Amino acid sequence: MSYIHDFISFTRDQYKTKEFIPLHEPRFRGNEKQYLIETIESTFVSSVGRYVDQFEQKMEKFTGATKAVAVVNGTAALQVALRLVGVSAGDEVLTQALTFVATANAIIYNNASPVFLDVDLDTMGLSPKAVEVFLNEFGEIRDGVCYNKSTGKRIAACMPMHTFGFPVHLDEMIVVCKQWNIPLVEDAAESIGSFYKGQHTGTLGLVGGFSFNGNKTITSGGGGAIVSNTETLGVQAKYLTTTAKKPHAYEFFHDELGYNFRMPNLNAALACAQMEMLDSFLRDKRELAETYGLFFKNMGVNFRKETPDTKANYWLMCVELADKTERELFLKETNAAGVMTRPIWNLMYKLPMYQHYQRDAQRNAEFLEERIVNIPSSVR
């Protein structure tokens, strides 16, 4: 497969280096150092400081959300998002098995159970049709609440994940969730800068959660955000993630179980500087995606692109190879040459702690698991 060697040379030309090329590394080209120094000099390096407020405001402006709340990481954002819509012990959450483990972990942290349903081939995200088929077979409405007939448990939420920044089919998902009275929570961890019919991901469901880990499109080192267009949910998110402490000049009174999930001001300073660069980062990644698309088209390889009515951030770009054998060869030769590539995640139900949870046939997820490979996607 000579195209693999051509790809290695092509990628080195794109990044203008003969050194190791990582999958996705951060770029610090703006005010990062200045803001960090200002934060250190202010002594407000922990969970209180002006950059926390500024970052939340920047997230609200960029995504169009009514309320954004900065938190310590994306997993925490999802955990709290699920609690905000009422997920509690003994409930179930419909989600996808083709995802990063944080999606499933956030469900377990609420003492609920995941139900793994299939993805669509075009988006690689949770399929509205798979959700509909599952609910038609196992769903039951009792007093306005959806239950799983096979387990007797309440289906308390549906949480699709926008895989690699490609939005799922949200219109159809919203229709199915409304029909069955199931709250929609968006795992938007990978999709800052992605839009569905002009609306930012994370803002179409009741609540959305983002990640700003070191390998994301923009980073705060470690960090995340909860967004919602429902003011009361946003206010509650802030309250729960700041230990559920009642405001007071000096007393410490907490009236419910909260979390110390506050984003430190140091991380928020980094996030603010990165937000200022986000538009330029997205332009560069889109140009790189177009360049990759032409290259792989000439090689007869399927480079995954955004679907109609969406604008993807192309966080991690990927190719769909012919089969598992070709995937393994591609991974072996590229990594041996110092060009980092990686396979898509192992399906959740193949991990020891998630083997016993309910799932459907997963035909599309298994097809993609054997074929999808991420390629270098850093801003150049």
Side-chain angles (χ1 to χ4, degrees):
M1 299 176 185
S2 61
Y3 80 86
I4 300 177
H5 299 290
D6 292 338
F7 164 73
I8 292 168
S9 298
F10 179 81
T11 304
R12 293 204 174 282
D13 288 342
Q14 294 302 307
Y15 287 99
K16 298 179 173 58
T17 182
K18 295 182 179 180
E19 303 299 322
F20 172 75
I21 300 176
L23 194 66
H24 198 289
E25 63 181 349
R27 294 284 185 258
F28 303 115
R29 297 173 178 172
N31 292 314
E32 290 88 357
K33 289 183 180 179
Q34 176 189 336
Y35 293 171
L36 288 171
I37 290 170
E38 289 177 0
T39 305
I40 292 169
E41 290 178 346
S42 76
T43 73
F44 286 92
V45 297
S46 191
S47 55
V48 176
R50 67 185 182 94
Y51 283 116
V52 175
D53 297 335
Q54 287 184 20
F55 176 55
E56 291 176 343
Q57 292 162 8
K58 288 177 182 290
M59 279 294 294
E60 289 164 3
K61 182 177 180 181
F62 187 83
T63 64
T66 300
K67 183 69 174 175
V69 177
V71 292
V72 70
N73 57 51
T75 308
L78 297 177
Q79 179 181 344
V80 176
L82 289 169
R83 178 172 165 181
L84 288 170
V85 302
V87 174
S88 59
D91 289 337
E92 292 180 340
V93 177
L94 308 181
T95 193
Q96 59 203 69
L98 187 70
T99 185
F100 180 59
V101 72
T103 307
N105 288 351
I107 297 169
I108 298 297
Y109 295 157
N110 282 283
N111 296 306
S113 300
V115 175
F116 297 119
L117 302 180
D118 209 357
V119 297
D120 284 318
L121 288 174
D122 57 350
T123 68
M124 299 178 286
L126 186 63
S127 168
K129 184 63 178 177
V131 173
E132 182 180 34
V133 168
F134 175 84
L135 290 170
N136 284 337
E137 181 175 358
F138 295 104
E140 180 179 56
I141 299 293
R142 303 181 210 156
D143 298 323
V145 178
C146 186
Y147 288 87
N148 183 337
K149 288 188 292 188
S150 67
T151 63
K153 295 182 178 182
R154 181 173 71 118
I155 299 175
C158 176
M159 186 165 66
M161 197 273 281
H162 302 300
T163 305
F164 306 138
F166 295 105
V168 303
H169 295 297
L170 282 163
D171 277 354
E172 293 91 337
M173 192 71 74
I174 290 169
V175 168
V176 174
C177 288
K178 283 185 176 180
Q179 179 183 354
W180 289 90
N181 201 21
I182 299 172
L184 177 63
V185 174
E186 292 179 70
D187 181 346
E190 302 174 354
S191 65
I192 186 69
S194 295
F195 294 81
Y196 179 84
K197 294 186 176 180
Q199 189 169 344
H200 201 290
T201 53
T203 67
L204 289 94
L206 277 177
V207 192
F210 291 88
S211 170
F212 302 104
N213 189 39
N215 67 343
K216 293 300 192 293
T217 303
I218 58 170
T219 183
S220 53
I226 301 166
V227 300
S228 181
N229 282 328
T230 303
E231 179 73 21
T232 54
L233 290 178
V235 170
Q236 182 70 357
K238 187 69 171 180
Y239 186 62
L240 289 175
T241 57
T242 53
T243 71
K245 179 183 178 295
K246 285 291 185 181
H248 194 278
Y250 49 84
E251 291 285 355
F252 286 84
F253 183 79
H254 311 259
D255 63 351
E256 62 179 307
L257 179 65
Y259 313 94
N260 190 5
F261 285 169
R262 299 170 287 189
M263 177 186 283
N265 199 36
L266 271 173
N267 297 85
L270 191 62
C272 284
Q274 289 273 287
M275 284 292 292
E276 293 170 358
M277 301 298 296
L278 179 53
D279 284 337
S280 66
F281 287 172
L282 292 170
R283 284 195 298 270
D284 183 274
K285 291 172 74 65
R286 181 162 289 273
E287 290 173 3
L288 178 60
E290 291 173 356
T291 305
Y292 271 144
L294 290 173
F295 171 82
F296 283 111
K297 182 178 181 180
N298 292 333
M299 297 294 113
V301 175
N302 182 16
F303 176 77
R304 300 303 298 254
K305 297 181 179 179
E306 61 197 2
T307 55
D309 295 321
T310 71
K311 186 175 184 180
N313 64 0
Y314 286 103
W315 168 53
L316 284 186
M317 301 173 212
C318 58
V319 290
E320 178 188 316
L321 302 178
D323 50 35
K324 190 173 182 178
T325 300
E326 184 174 344
R327 185 198 75 169
E328 292 305 305
L329 181 61
F330 187 93
L331 289 166
K332 180 180 179 181
E333 293 197 9
T334 51
N335 283 286
V339 175
M340 185 177 178
T341 60
R342 76 174 191 197
I344 205 167
W345 314 278
N346 289 309
L347 298 177
M348 290 298 99
Y349 58 83
K350 295 183 179 180
L351 303 181
M353 62 282 199
Y354 289 121
Q355 289 178 353
H356 62 285
Y357 290 101
Q358 188 174 8
R359 63 180 176 90
D360 60 10
Q362 300 286 309
R363 292 185 180 87
N364 291 343
E366 293 191 351
F367 177 91
L368 293 168
E369 183 193 33
E370 292 187 348
R371 292 165 174 81
I372 295 294
V373 172
N374 292 124
I375 58 179
S377 305
S378 307
V379 172
R380 292 170 293 181

